[in-house]
Amino acid sequence: MRSLGVWLLALLLAGCVPIAVLRDPEPVLGREMAFGLSAVGAEGGAFLVPYAAYAQGDGRTEYNFSLQMGLRAGVKQALLPGVSLDAGLTLPPLLGTDGVPLAADTGLLLGLGGLYLSPRVHWVGFVSQELGVSGLLYQATLGYRGEGFRMEVGVLINEAGNALFSVSGAVRF
C-alpha cells in the first residue's frame, strides 16, 4: 500500500510541479526552444515525462514557458554574471478537477562553468494528508550545459522527507 501512495505522490507532483529545470543561469538573448525527457524515479520504479520549453529574452530578463504535464509560465532575471533568480507559476494538466493543485516556484540558477546548480522552493496550493504532499516542496538540481543540449539530475523533497529523483535531458534550438 505504501508503494501505491508513493506512486500517486510521484504522479501528482509530476503533474503540478516542474520536475526538470533545463535552463541556463543566464537569461536568453533572443528566442530558444527545447525538447526533452525526464525519467522520474519513485520507490519501486520509474516513469518518463516529456518536456518542451520556449524562452524569449533580452539577455537580462527572460520570459519562459515549459510543458511537463503541467504548463509553467516563468520569468528569469539576471542578478550577477552567471547568477539569476527564476520564478514561475504552474497550471496542472487537468484544470477544474477537484483536488488538483496550482504551484508556484522560485529559485536561483547558479553557473559553475559548464555546470549549473538550481536550489528551488515550490509552494503547492493543495495539501493531501493521504499522499503526504505538503504546502512546501524543496528541489535541488545539478546540470551540465553542453553545446545545444542540457542534462541534469535532481531531487524533490516534501516536508515529510519523501524524495522524488529525476534525470532529465533536452536539446535546444
Side-chain angles (χ1 to χ4, degrees):
M1 188 63 176
R2 177 169 157 71
S3 181
L4 176 62
V6 171
W7 273 100
L8 290 174
L9 172 63
L11 288 172
L12 173 71
L13 291 178
C16 68
V17 175
I19 300 298
V21 175
L22 295 170
R23 286 185 294 283
D24 282 348
E26 299 82 17
V28 299
L29 179 59
R31 296 180 180 145
E32 178 180 283
M33 292 189 71
F35 297 97
L37 196 62
S38 292
V40 181
E43 190 176 288
F47 59 95
L48 298 176
V49 183
Y51 173 88
Y54 172 80
Q56 182 171 341
D58 61 8
R60 184 92 181 124
T61 303
E62 171 188 308
Y63 300 96
N64 52 63
F65 299 92
S66 61
L67 182 63
Q68 192 166 33
M69 289 181 75
L71 175 65
R72 180 186 184 273
V75 63
K76 178 170 42 172
Q77 180 66 47
L79 302 175
L80 300 167
V83 179
S84 292
L85 180 63
D86 186 42
L89 177 66
T90 302
L91 300 174
L94 303 172
L95 288 175
T97 304
D98 287 340
V100 175
L102 296 177
D105 67 275
T106 188
L108 290 173
L109 284 160
L110 309 166
L112 310 166
L115 300 176
Y116 61 91
L117 179 65
S118 182
R120 185 169 297 272
V121 175
H122 301 269
W123 173 82
V124 180
F126 168 77
V127 178
S128 168
Q129 297 300 326
E130 181 179 309
L131 296 178
V133 177
S134 175
L136 291 178
L137 302 167
Y138 307 95
Q139 183 177 12
T141 302
L142 177 64
Y144 174 74
R145 306 185 278 174
E147 187 64 37
F149 72 94
R150 300 288 173 267
M151 294 188 70
E152 64 186 32
V153 295
V155 62
L156 187 66
I157 301 171
N158 69 1
E159 290 176 343
N162 297 325
L164 186 65
F165 297 93
S166 65
V167 175
S168 303
V171 293
R172 301 177 339 149
F173 302 97

